[in-house]
Amino acid sequence: MYMYKFKPILKTMLWGGEKIVPYKRIVSDQKQVGESWELSGVKGNESVVAEGPEAGTTLPGLIARHGAALLGKANFERFGEEFPLLIKFIDARQDLSIQVHPDDELAWKRHRSKGKTEMWYVVATNEGAHLRSGFAKRVTPAEYAASVEDNTITDLLADYAIRPGDVFFLPAGRVHSIGAGAFIAEIQQTSDITYRIYDFNRRDANGNTRELHTELAKDAIDYTVLPDYRTHYTPAPDSEVELVSCPYFTTSLYDLTHERTLDLAGLDSFLVVICIGGSGTLTDDAGNAVPVHQGETVLVPASVRNLRIAPDGAVKVLTSCIR
């Protein structure tokens, strides 16, 4: 077993832009690419190994073959052959719909699925880029539903101007929307359950509006109001900066100009490495070396005991695992 890169799954979206393909340094004629699914075990959208001896193998196939050596003992016992995280890049040319995701309990009750807790790391922005996260003031479920009817739901939400490096943690139940001009990396539970609350009355090329799930969302929403929904952290070059730690994932940022070795001996989990800037080389304790550049994602098996990251001048990566 070695470290794995996967073929990106590009998704054309009504709101998608043209940044993902050049950012990832790949060749594609696909237009309005709103999402690149970097690492996915979602049924019907399973990632496929891009290179090496196991090229062509799906992510579930890798898990079936390697089990706990790939996922970690506790993760394999907990998730079986389902990969527990979904990793994406998202490019919003227009505002995405306002939406919410159910928690595990509600998602299982309604859909026999896991819920969706997620996080965003802002990679790049256009001038005026923004996003929405959480309610700006206290509202009742009835007031929420009425605001969707009269097109005032955006007035109830906290709206943030954003810049590269901003982080937002989005537990299940938090109403949110990625705004125009945002280019982000998203780390989430493996779930594709989304309740679309409001879509700005947009129509597709055939003049159709998209389905809304206003009533389903009503019981899924957490109506708690917080003073600030942004995740604050202090940058520390050439050091680990933990951004988010929750039961579903722990994500750290490494902004490196010098080589660094990560001690993974005490970690009973895979490690996902998402390169968000620059380039470098990942080398595991068996001597396997994988070059990585901006826009690439690498899956490091749980059996790896240490991982050396050597920048080519500079490299910035997010790492995510389940502790």
Side-chain angles (χ1 to χ4, degrees):
M1 196 165 35
Y2 55 106
M3 295 178 283
Y4 300 96
K5 291 183 182 180
F6 297 83
K7 298 177 181 179
I9 302 170
L10 304 181
K11 302 276 189 178
T12 294
M13 301 292 192
L14 180 66
W15 43 262
E18 306 298 336
K19 296 177 183 175
I20 285 177
V21 168
Y23 174 78
K24 289 181 59 61
R25 303 177 189 173
I26 58 177
V27 177
S28 174
D29 293 329
Q30 196 166 331
K31 302 298 183 184
Q32 289 183 246
V33 177
E35 298 183 353
S36 174
W37 289 26
E38 297 290 295
L39 191 54
S40 167
V42 175
K43 190 172 183 180
N45 288 278
E46 297 90 347
S47 292
V48 174
V49 178
E51 56 191 48
E54 295 180 275
T57 306
T58 65
L59 180 53
L62 284 183
I63 299 171
R65 184 176 300 164
H66 299 295
L70 180 65
L71 290 188
K73 184 175 183 294
N75 287 334
F76 190 55
E77 290 174 353
R78 180 178 172 188
F79 299 106
E81 294 183 8
E82 178 183 59
F83 192 72
L85 297 183
L86 174 58
I87 311 297
K88 302 177 182 178
F89 287 115
I90 299 177
D91 174 23
R93 181 177 54 87
Q94 302 175 8
D95 288 354
L96 274 67
S97 61
I98 295 171
Q99 54 191 242
V100 73
H101 309 296
D103 62 16
D104 287 343
E105 182 180 358
L106 187 58
W108 184 255
K109 178 181 177 181
R110 288 179 173 173
H111 311 285
R112 288 297 184 264
S113 171
K114 292 182 175 62
K116 188 193 292 190
T117 286
E118 59 191 349
M119 68 164 287
W120 297 331
Y121 179 92
V122 179
V123 177
T125 57
N126 290 349
E127 185 176 354
H130 71 112
L131 55 79
R132 299 179 177 93
S133 178
F135 286 107
K137 56 185 177 182
R138 187 167 297 280
V139 299
T140 66
E143 289 169 334
Y144 142 77
S147 74
V148 175
E149 269 308 303
D150 65 14
N151 299 301
T152 61
I153 180 70
T154 57
D155 297 338
L156 303 181
L157 302 178
D159 198 323
Y160 291 87
I162 55 172
R163 61 184 181 182
D166 283 349
V167 173
F168 288 82
F169 175 60
L170 302 154
R174 183 165 296 167
V175 176
H176 59 273
S177 173
I178 299 172
F183 187 101
I184 70 171
E186 181 176 271
I187 298 162
Q188 60 162 89
Q189 284 179 270
T190 290
S191 170
D192 208 24
I193 305 298
T194 295
Y195 296 152
R196 188 181 299 116
I197 292 170
Y198 184 69
D199 199 38
F200 305 96
N201 298 314
R202 280 184 292 212
R203 297 181 181 273
D204 63 20
N206 298 316
N208 300 314
T209 58
R210 295 197 291 175
E211 181 184 5
L212 300 181
H213 312 102
T214 312
E215 285 301 313
L216 283 173
K218 187 183 291 185
D219 294 335
I221 291 171
D222 180 355
Y223 293 90
T224 304
V225 177
L226 300 180
D228 188 3
Y229 296 94
R230 195 191 305 266
T231 297
H232 296 276
Y233 67 96
T234 301
D238 292 304
S239 298
E240 178 184 10
V241 179
E242 187 176 284
L243 302 177
V244 170
S245 183
C246 71
Y248 305 108
F249 50 80
T250 297
T251 300
S252 295
L253 172 67
Y254 293 88
D255 190 354
L256 303 178
T257 56
H258 297 89
E259 184 178 294
R260 184 179 176 92
T261 297
L262 311 188
D263 182 1
L264 306 179
L267 180 65
D268 181 28
S269 173
F270 60 88
L271 187 74
V272 179
V273 180
I274 309 161
C275 186
I276 53 176
S279 62
T281 301
L282 308 180
T283 306
D284 66 18
D285 49 316
N288 299 307
V290 175
V292 63
H293 64 67
Q294 168 184 298
E296 289 191 314
T297 299
V298 178
L299 177 60
V300 180
S303 58
V304 171
R305 301 291 82 192
N306 61 71
L307 179 70
R308 187 169 73 250
I309 307 175
D312 297 334
V315 67
K316 185 181 291 187
V317 302
L318 298 172
T319 65
S320 204
C321 61
I322 299 177
R323 295 193 185 279

